[in-house]
Amino acid sequence: MRRLVHRHLGKVVTGAALAVAGTAVMVGITLPGTAGADETGGGGGGGRAARQTGQGPDGAPPGVVARAPATGKKGTGRDPLTDDEMRRAAGLAVSKQLRSTGEDVGGGHGPQRLSVDLADPEADELDDPRAPRRADVTFYDYGNDTLVTRTVDLATGKVVRTGVQHGVQPPLSRAENAEAARLLIADPLGAGLKADYKDATGHELTSPDQLLLNGAVYRATPGGQPGVLDKCGEHRCVRLFPKIRNGSWIDARWLVVDLSARKVAELQHR
């Protein structure tokens, strides 16, 4: 049976995953299983299985992590993008204007990069093995709360398509989760989170680097939040599910960070 240890504003969660109920918009979100919940020095279930069988999944000796295969500079056909292709596409997608006028999650120059993915082929290219390889690079511009998608032809290096959308909120990037945690730690509403961390570890919580972070986009629901969060959905807002490294989850689901306005608020319905 799951057990919640109540402390301060936040709640340290021990044992298996915490099923997050929350408001109607967030129903169905569950924290990621027991991944890392019982870590001791970073060992997880895969490591235990390797020790029991005497070898890893790739035939490697116990305790040895198999090296990932080398990634070529260029892929072919519908192969996943290589690391080189992703780096190149991300660089090509940011125009001088976008770099000078855009704003990232921390308020710096240039939009916040979210993802780089292999673009879908055009309708007349579905059966063409020589179809151009293109990459969709998505950014969130915090300067005007827009999602920008730029499609790059990897052969020519040209941006062939640009799309701009408002009110579209794709999954959060690692940098956005970290910035949300940074704002929460600095805010008075983060006092419970910091107290729970100190109770569990004996140390002060001062940096997002001390936590493992998952986050979910929050959208405003009529009557479900204070007025300060009414623009969530138009703004980029996040609910964090922080975990102590090699330790327990801390329940912070009632706190929402508006990354666009750089404000923290507590949901009214608990």
Side-chain angles (χ1 to χ4, degrees):
M1 182 175 182
R2 298 184 179 95
R3 180 165 63 90
L4 298 183
V5 180
H6 294 266
R7 298 194 184 103
H8 311 288
L9 176 62
K11 293 180 282 294
V12 174
V13 182
T14 60
L18 169 67
V20 179
T23 58
V25 72
M26 298 297 293
V27 168
I29 290 181
T30 304
L31 290 180
T34 57
D38 60 348
E39 296 167 3
T40 54
R48 288 194 297 274
R51 288 193 293 272
Q52 291 167 0
T53 61
Q55 64 180 22
D58 297 319
V64 176
V65 179
R67 185 188 298 269
T71 304
K73 292 184 178 180
K74 293 183 180 180
T76 58
R78 300 300 297 162
D79 290 343
L81 294 173
T82 67
D83 291 344
D84 286 339
E85 286 177 319
M86 286 191 286
R87 281 191 292 267
R88 182 165 177 261
L92 291 168
V94 186
S95 64
K96 290 182 179 179
Q97 180 180 359
L98 192 58
R99 186 176 287 110
S100 62
T101 61
E103 184 178 317
D104 66 17
V105 66
H109 288 297
Q112 182 65 48
R113 193 178 82 196
L114 302 183
S115 63
V116 183
D117 300 297
L118 185 66
D120 292 330
E122 303 293 341
D124 59 353
E125 298 172 346
L126 292 174
D127 298 321
D128 184 358
R130 296 173 297 176
R133 279 171 65 81
R134 307 182 187 93
D136 285 335
V137 186
T138 58
F139 303 93
Y140 195 85
D141 187 349
Y142 279 88
N144 54 15
D145 280 301
T146 57
L147 180 71
V148 180
T149 303
R150 310 201 83 197
T151 303
V152 177
D153 186 313
L154 294 168
T156 65
K158 294 181 179 179
V159 175
V160 297
R161 188 165 52 248
T162 298
V164 178
Q165 298 170 284
H166 296 269
V168 178
Q169 299 294 342
L172 295 143
S173 66
R174 182 179 300 178
E176 289 173 308
N177 284 332
E179 185 63 20
R182 188 173 291 107
L183 292 171
L184 181 55
I185 291 169
D187 193 273
L189 286 175
L193 171 67
K194 292 189 288 186
D196 288 344
Y197 184 90
K198 187 170 184 178
D199 281 354
T201 67
H203 301 287
E204 299 290 341
L205 176 61
T206 59
S207 167
D209 295 338
Q210 295 168 261
L211 299 167
L212 298 177
L213 298 168
N214 285 286
V217 169
Y218 177 82
R219 289 179 176 274
T221 302
Q225 69 280 318
V228 70
L229 298 176
D230 282 346
K231 288 192 174 182
C232 287
E234 175 187 344
H235 284 186
R236 189 98 162 127
C237 299
V238 56
R239 292 213 294 190
L240 283 176
F241 309 110
K243 180 181 178 296
I244 299 169
R245 290 184 178 275
N246 299 324
S248 306
W249 297 96
I250 298 179
D251 184 2
R253 59 185 146 157
W254 303 110
L255 299 173
V256 176
V257 181
D258 183 334
L259 289 170
S260 299
R262 302 186 67 78
K263 294 179 179 179
V264 180
E266 184 176 7
L267 294 176
Q268 295 171 342
H269 295 279
R270 302 189 62 167

